[in-house]
């Protein structure tokens, strides 16, 4: 019984480091976008992957024990999959911004006659080609990177992957092939709704739209959406 108890405690302890590994992966990749995005993509990716492998190798050396190799091998695979998917989505933000802008423009054009879609934007005297702007009357919104939906999608990928890792033995992995794309789609739709609401609110109260609403609506909507999605999908993805 003592041995059984110690094995259970060790498994729980491994889970903590398992989660910590992916939190560090996420933070490191965000830092790469913040501080070395001017570098060539290959250089930036190489730096992050070098740090990632060093981190995982160190953790394996420190906590190596019977059965731990499989957990960290899984951590390595899923962690790198997360980084790859996130980097792919991040690189597609101009396309996502254009699609979001087109959808929002189409929806709001059903209600507003004085709405315009601009293929390029100007902000603080700087011109941005291929960054769309939607204008309703005197209020306009530039659909930059932060409005493209990558933040909501990244939040979903990060949090959902942590849940998957925590309960990996309980989950039917085949169902993840549906849930991951579905979750990304849901977050994208929520972002479209967020941008549409920003414009609607901006027409009525530009100050509120550009301050309180713009700063808080995103993380509130994305967080609520994730927990609703998780509550609806969790029982289905768990093995019977």
């Amino acid at each position: 019984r003592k041995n059984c108890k110690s094995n259970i405690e060790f498994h729980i302890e491994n889970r903590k480091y398992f989660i910590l590994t992916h939190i560090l992966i996420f933070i490191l990749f965000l830092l790469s976008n913040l501080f070395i995005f001017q570098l060539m993509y290959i250089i930036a990716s190489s730096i992050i992957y070098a740090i990632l492998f060093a981190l995982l190798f160190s953790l394996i050396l420190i906590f190596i024990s019977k059965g731990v190799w499989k957990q960290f091998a899984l951590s390595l695979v899923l962690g790198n999959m997360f980084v790859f998917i996130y980097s792919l989505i991040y690189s597609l933000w101009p396309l996502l911004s254009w699609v979001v802008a087109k959808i929002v423009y189409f929806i709001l054009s059903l209600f507003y006659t004085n709405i315009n879609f601009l293929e390029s934007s100007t902000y603080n005297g700087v011109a941005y080609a291929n960054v769309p702007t939607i204008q309703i009357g005197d209020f306009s919104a530039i659909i930059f990177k932060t409005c493209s939906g990558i933040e909501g999608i990244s939040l979903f990928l990060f949090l959902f992957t942590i849940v998957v890792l925590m309960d990996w033995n309980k989950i039917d992995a085949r169902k993840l092939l549906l849930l991951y794309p579905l979750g990304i789609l849901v977050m994208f739709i929520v972002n479209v709704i967020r941008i549409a609401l920003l414009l609607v609110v901006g027409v009525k109260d530009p100050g509120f739209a550009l301050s309180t609403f713009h700063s808080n609506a995103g993380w509130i909507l994305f967080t609520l959406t994730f927990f609703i999605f998780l509550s609806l999908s969790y029982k289905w993805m768990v093995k019977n």
Side-chain angles (χ1 to χ4, degrees), residues 15 18-24 26 78 82 155-168 171 180 226 230 237:
R15 181 179 295 180
F18 208 39
I19 296 171
L20 176 62
T21 299
H22 287 80
I23 292 175
L24 290 174
F26 184 71
L78 293 180
F82 170 80
L155 179 68
F156 166 77
L157 289 174
F158 177 58
L159 295 179
F160 195 70
T161 300
I162 286 181
V163 173
V164 170
L165 294 176
M166 289 180 66
D167 294 326
W168 178 255
I171 292 174
Y180 267 105
F226 171 76
L230 181 62
M237 70 178 179

Side-chain angles (χ1 to χ4, degrees), residues 83-239:
V83 171
F84 173 77
I85 294 172
Y86 177 83
S87 61
L88 176 63
I89 294 172
Y90 190 88
S91 67
L92 294 176
W93 80 261
L95 175 61
L96 290 175
S97 292
W98 189 86
V99 173
V100 168
K102 277 294 185 181
I103 295 174
V104 171
Y105 172 76
F106 172 76
I107 294 173
L108 295 183
S109 64
L110 301 175
F111 305 95
Y112 296 93
T113 57
N114 59 339
I115 185 171
N116 295 303
F117 181 91
L118 305 177
E119 294 285 351
S120 58
S121 306
T122 301
Y123 182 72
N124 288 338
V126 180
Y128 295 91
N130 301 320
V131 177
T133 293
I134 301 176
Q135 183 177 21
I136 303 178
D138 296 328
F139 184 80
S140 62
I142 302 174
I143 314 302
F144 271 123
K145 175 185 310 185
T146 53
C147 298
S148 65
I150 58 173
E151 291 181 341
I153 293 173
S154 301
L155 179 68
F156 166 77
L157 289 174
F158 177 58
L159 295 179
F160 195 70
T161 300
I162 286 181
V163 173
V164 170
L165 294 176
M166 289 180 66
D167 294 326
W168 178 255
N169 293 329
K170 302 178 184 178
I171 292 174
D172 186 344
R174 294 171 297 180
K175 294 180 180 179
L176 297 178
L177 296 175
L178 173 63
L179 290 177
Y180 267 105
L182 182 60
I184 291 173
L185 177 61
V186 168
M187 285 297 187
F188 180 80
I189 293 172
V190 169
N191 183 64
V192 169
I193 296 172
R194 176 176 74 102
I195 301 303
L197 289 175
L198 173 66
L199 283 157
V200 171
V201 173
V203 172
K204 301 293 184 181
D205 189 344
F208 176 78
L210 294 174
S211 57
T212 305
F213 187 91
H214 185 268
S215 301
N216 298 292
W219 69 266
I220 292 174
L221 284 174
F222 292 143
T223 304
L224 287 175
T225 300
F226 171 76
F227 284 109
I228 292 172
F229 181 88
L230 181 62
S231 64
L232 294 176
S233 62
Y234 185 80
K235 289 184 178 179
W236 180 73
M237 70 178 179
V238 171
K239 296 177 182 177

